[in-house]
Amino acid sequence: MKLFPLSLLAIALCLSSCAYLQTHKNIQEAFHEYEGYRLVEPLKLYSAGGTWYLAVQRETMELHYPVLHDSILLNNDYEPRYSTTKVHEGVQYHRISSGTAQVLLRSDGYYTLPSLFEEMNSMNTEPVASLPAGAQQHTIQARVDAHTSHSVAKTTKRIPESTPVLANALAGLDFVCVDFPCSVAYNVAIPVMAPFVFFHDFIAGDDDNDNNSN
């Protein structure tokens, strides 16, 4: 009779927790690929007729989720990432605002790749295959932080758009048999693991400070 309340408690624990396994998502994503692009690095800035562009590279990509999503103990390493499976020939060009371009031209300017993608997404325009006549290239003076802990890419198409029935069935089985019970066990263990993680990070931080001082 006590099994049902305990099951409800376990379900509530997983739903409310910030730590859980998500291998079932990778099973679903194994049946998909994405068309999209990344910014060419180092960044290449162009202008033509008062419009500003950054060079982008078209790619075919796959999406991967970390096996463990943990914003409690591993709060810097749970974002999904796109991995490149094919790089398409030719460079394209995506519009950016003149304000962003002016920041990139300044020696005291600062931007991050994720913030550049956020702006390009907000403009709701697609890259063009060629620049207008008379386009000029400009030297970027600003510091641009890659923030390599995050996957920086923009996708334009998911192939296929809907997940196949087989993928959903396999993912559902994996969730019930693997992700759910392991998530419950992991959350129960968090109070035990937390002090060890804290001391590990504390010692690692001291070592970094010592190395920097030397």
Side-chain angles (χ1 to χ4, degrees):
M1 296 297 293
K2 294 182 179 180
L3 181 60
F4 182 69
L6 289 175
S7 299
L8 291 179
L9 179 61
I11 293 173
L13 178 65
C14 285
L15 292 177
S16 63
S17 173
C18 295
Y20 49 85
L21 269 70
Q22 48 188 358
T23 60
H24 69 284
K25 294 183 180 179
N26 284 327
I27 291 176
Q28 291 177 313
E29 290 299 336
F31 290 79
H32 293 281
E33 63 180 12
Y34 294 81
E35 296 294 333
Y37 54 84
R38 300 180 194 267
L39 284 162
V40 172
E41 296 185 72
L43 299 183
K44 299 184 183 301
L45 178 65
Y46 301 86
S47 67
T51 303
W52 295 84
Y53 303 85
L54 283 172
V56 296
Q57 179 72 60
R58 286 185 57 238
E59 295 184 358
T60 301
M61 296 170 276
E62 294 177 342
L63 181 61
H64 302 277
Y65 287 86
V67 171
L68 177 63
H69 179 292
D70 183 357
S71 59
I72 302 173
L73 300 180
L74 306 174
N75 56 7
N76 291 323
D77 192 26
Y78 60 85
E79 294 291 334
R81 300 170 184 244
Y82 288 99
S83 63
T84 302
T85 59
K86 180 181 179 181
V87 177
H88 299 272
E89 293 185 3
V91 174
Q92 297 187 345
Y93 307 91
H94 199 293
R95 287 184 56 190
I96 61 172
S97 68
S98 59
T100 296
Q102 296 306 315
V103 172
L104 293 175
L105 291 172
R106 295 177 52 174
S107 59
D108 60 347
Y110 174 79
Y111 244 104
T112 67
L113 292 185
S115 61
L116 285 174
F117 269 98
E118 288 178 7
E119 176 181 330
M120 292 192 297
N121 286 331
S122 68
M123 298 187 73
N124 198 28
T125 59
E126 294 299 322
V128 295
S130 60
L131 291 169
Q136 294 180 321
Q137 183 174 357
H138 302 267
T139 301
I140 293 178
Q141 302 286 346
R143 174 191 168 191
V144 180
D145 190 344
H147 280 197
T148 54
S149 61
H150 300 281
S151 177
V152 185
K154 178 178 179 179
T155 59
T156 57
K157 183 188 298 183
R158 188 190 197 202
I159 306 171
E161 291 186 2
S162 59
T163 304
V165 175
L166 175 61
N168 284 327
L170 293 174
L173 181 63
D174 179 82
F175 177 80
V176 172
C177 297
V178 179
D179 285 352
F180 179 74
C182 291
S183 296
V184 172
Y186 184 85
N187 280 277
V188 171
I190 283 179
V192 178
M193 296 187 296
F196 296 97
V197 174
F198 171 79
F199 283 114
H200 175 272
D201 292 344
F202 180 78
I203 294 172
D206 283 347
D207 290 341
D208 290 340
N209 291 334
D210 292 339
N211 292 334
N212 291 334
S213 63
N214 294 332

